[in-house]
Amino acid sequence: MEKLVIDGGRPLQGTARIEGAKNAALPILAASLLADGVVAIDNVPDLLDIHVMLDILRSLGLEATLTGKTAVVDATNVRTTEIPETLMSRMRSSIFLMGPLLARFGEVTISQPGGCAIGERKIDLHLNGLKALGANIIETDTRVVCQAKRLKGADIVLDYPSVGATENLMMAAVTAEGITTISNAAREPEIADLQLFLNRMGAKIIGAGTDTITIEGVERLSPCEHRVISDRIVAGTLMVAAAATRGNVTLEGVVPSHLTSVIHALRRAGIQIAIDDDIMNVIGVGRPRAVERIVTSPYPSFPTDLQAQMMVLLSLADGLSVMKETVFEGRFKHVNELSVMGADIRVDMNSAFIRGVPRLYGATVEATDLRAGAALVIAGLAANGRTVVEQIHHIDRGYESIETTFRRLGGRIERMSSLATNRIASSM
């Protein structure tokens, strides 16, 4: 088992280019199933979740490779529409495959999806939407079977603006007969990127990025080439890391409009941010200020995927801050780990009350999920002394060699085996 060993207390300095967005690449890879032929997708991050998705596609009979930053998928010879349980359980995003498989082949069988342990993730929104499009669904405790000779357009109103459900229903509806309208749709930039990809394949979709998406069904889709947008969550993570270490970091390849709520929150904390087209400079000058209240909510509000990272900065701020989590009920597991490092945080229901401390201290902590892991890395970079972050396979799901990124910015961070870290500890 690998761990990250961090010697903190050094301000991050330098320039980093933001990688492609995992949350855009995954549904786009799933959508490649809709075209009979070869699809080329550029700017794909080399992540654990990406490789799991490619493994799933290959298990269905597709040819799928990732060379450098380019994924090439050939969906000419799909031999099955049943996704293996061993792969499905490794990544909840595999639910994306329901829509395209049902749309192209008229059937799909999945097991109940897995993923991070950050709260309940029902798939009812997905299934109810597919039923509205005419799918016949048989669900058991372990499996879901969907069938439809051809889906038919429908007016769908989502009870919650779920990103996954919005994207799944978009993919299902592209070849449905007639017009489909998705109301109360999620508005995330990754959905707009999926719309762009599908339209390049010949789909007729408008409205992504708003709360109403309209899809006019077409007979078939054709292969295309596409470049994935940059990852706003990775960008936000590096922004917070620069602020928490009182550093000076320039980010290239960002889309500032995707980060409006994050920029606003950091500026409220006293962080200096300068923007020039797709370049952003973040400077942490002195101790940050407390932020009276931040509430996570669907885009364009403050993202739940940056809640843990922002909490690290607030734990070092001057005064009392409040972070309210409204998206996932189980997303404060990092609080106990930060407390081990000296943070003063009290949780009451879905709110965390963070009283800033002068400094954090190195400790051995455990990544409980993807974003909590990133937060603990930031805490280690900002802390006095040595921090060891365990269970880093969670981090590898969403950050491409996070230790390399931070080393290039001057962070003292290494990936080591458990045996190596035990030797280091025994010699200290």
Side-chain angles (χ1 to χ4, degrees):
M1 191 71 70
E2 292 182 319
K3 305 178 182 182
L4 291 174
V5 179
I6 307 163
D7 289 314
R10 176 180 294 185
L12 297 178
Q13 307 276 345
T15 301
R17 174 160 288 276
I18 303 303
E19 63 203 47
K22 179 196 81 161
N23 289 338
L26 287 172
I28 287 171
L29 285 169
S32 65
L33 267 164
L34 289 161
D36 183 358
V38 179
V39 170
I41 308 164
D42 194 22
N43 202 32
V44 175
D46 188 2
L47 302 171
L48 181 58
D49 274 8
I50 295 295
H51 285 283
V52 172
M53 178 61 82
L54 293 174
D55 286 343
I56 293 174
L57 293 176
R58 285 190 285 264
S59 76
L60 299 174
L62 287 77
E63 295 181 20
T65 61
L66 179 64
T67 305
K69 297 292 183 182
T70 302
V72 177
V73 179
D74 185 350
T76 302
N77 298 311
V78 178
R79 63 173 179 264
T80 181
T81 59
E82 181 171 353
I83 303 171
E85 181 180 0
T86 54
L87 293 173
M88 189 84 189
S89 62
R90 289 175 59 191
M91 184 182 64
R92 65 179 182 274
S93 297
S94 46
I95 193 73
F96 288 133
L97 292 159
M98 293 181 67
L101 281 170
L102 189 61
R104 184 174 169 196
F105 300 104
E107 62 181 8
V108 57
T109 301
I110 67 169
S111 60
Q112 296 288 358
C116 275
I118 55 173
E120 190 174 9
R121 294 174 178 271
K122 293 182 179 179
I123 62 171
D124 291 354
L125 293 174
H126 300 255
L127 301 184
N128 290 338
L130 293 175
K131 287 178 184 177
L133 293 171
N136 179 44
I137 298 176
I138 302 172
E139 187 174 8
T140 69
D141 290 341
T142 58
R143 284 160 52 95
V144 181
V145 180
C146 302
Q147 296 176 326
K149 289 185 178 180
R150 186 178 182 187
L151 299 173
K152 296 183 181 296
D155 293 330
I156 301 170
V157 180
L158 295 177
D159 293 336
Y160 181 84
S162 160
V163 175
T166 299
E167 294 174 328
N168 217 350
L169 297 176
M170 286 171 63
M171 291 185 277
V174 288
T175 57
E177 182 181 343
I179 294 176
T180 298
T181 300
I182 305 173
S183 300
N184 196 30
R187 299 165 59 186
E188 273 73 1
E190 294 79 13
I191 294 171
D193 203 32
L194 177 61
Q195 173 181 281
L196 180 59
F197 174 70
L198 291 170
N199 285 346
R200 283 178 173 162
M201 297 171 76
K204 295 181 178 180
I205 309 173
I206 60 172
T210 74
D211 61 3
T212 303
I213 299 173
T214 302
I215 306 110
E216 181 181 346
V218 298
E219 287 295 324
R220 61 186 300 273
L221 298 181
S222 302
C224 72
E225 296 181 356
H226 181 76
R227 180 177 176 83
V228 174
I229 59 172
S230 64
D231 197 314
R232 62 193 172 94
I233 303 302
V234 170
T237 298
L238 294 182
M239 292 168 70
V240 174
T245 62
R246 303 184 187 182
N248 184 337
V249 172
T250 298
L251 304 178
E252 298 179 341
V254 297
V255 183
S257 62
H258 294 172
L259 292 158
T260 301
S261 64
V262 181
I263 293 168
H264 178 62
L266 288 173
R267 283 177 170 164
R268 287 168 64 195
I271 309 306
Q272 297 181 9
I273 301 174
I275 301 169
D276 182 10
D277 195 19
D278 67 343
I279 298 174
M280 185 182 301
N281 179 239
V282 182
I283 304 175
V285 180
R287 190 178 183 189
R289 297 192 297 264
V291 179
E292 181 179 352
R293 184 178 175 85
I294 297 176
V295 180
T296 68
S297 194
Y299 187 87
S301 297
F302 193 89
T304 181
D305 279 353
L306 287 172
Q307 176 254 106
Q309 298 91 310
M310 190 68 184
M311 195 177 291
V312 175
L313 179 67
L314 298 179
S315 71
L316 293 166
D318 184 12
L320 178 66
S321 304
V322 178
M323 176 74 75
K324 184 174 182 179
E325 173 63 51
T326 71
V327 180
F328 295 125
E329 74 275 12
R331 208 160 202 180
F332 282 150
K333 293 181 179 179
H334 50 279
V335 169
N336 288 338
E337 305 303 306
L338 291 176
S339 296
V340 171
M341 300 180 71
D344 183 358
I345 306 172
R346 179 176 61 86
V347 174
D348 184 8
M349 301 294 287
N350 63 343
S351 293
F353 300 84
I354 308 131
R355 188 172 299 280
V357 296
R359 63 188 59 84
L360 297 175
Y361 298 93
T364 297
V365 291
E366 180 177 312
T368 54
D369 62 69
L370 166 56
R371 306 306 174 183
L376 293 175
V377 171
I378 294 172
L381 290 166
N384 286 5
R386 172 164 289 177
T387 298
V388 177
V389 182
E390 301 178 330
Q391 301 296 325
I392 62 172
H393 61 279
H394 290 299
I395 301 173
D396 293 337
R397 290 185 48 238
Y399 296 88
E400 188 173 329
S401 186
I402 195 170
E403 70 277 12
T404 301
T405 298
F406 282 126
R407 273 203 307 271
R408 288 173 178 167
L409 296 173
R412 291 172 290 188
I413 174 172
E414 297 289 342
R415 181 182 295 252
M416 296 183 180
S417 67
S418 296
L419 180 61
T421 53
N422 287 339
R423 286 176 183 155
I424 291 173
S426 63
S427 65
M428 293 178 66

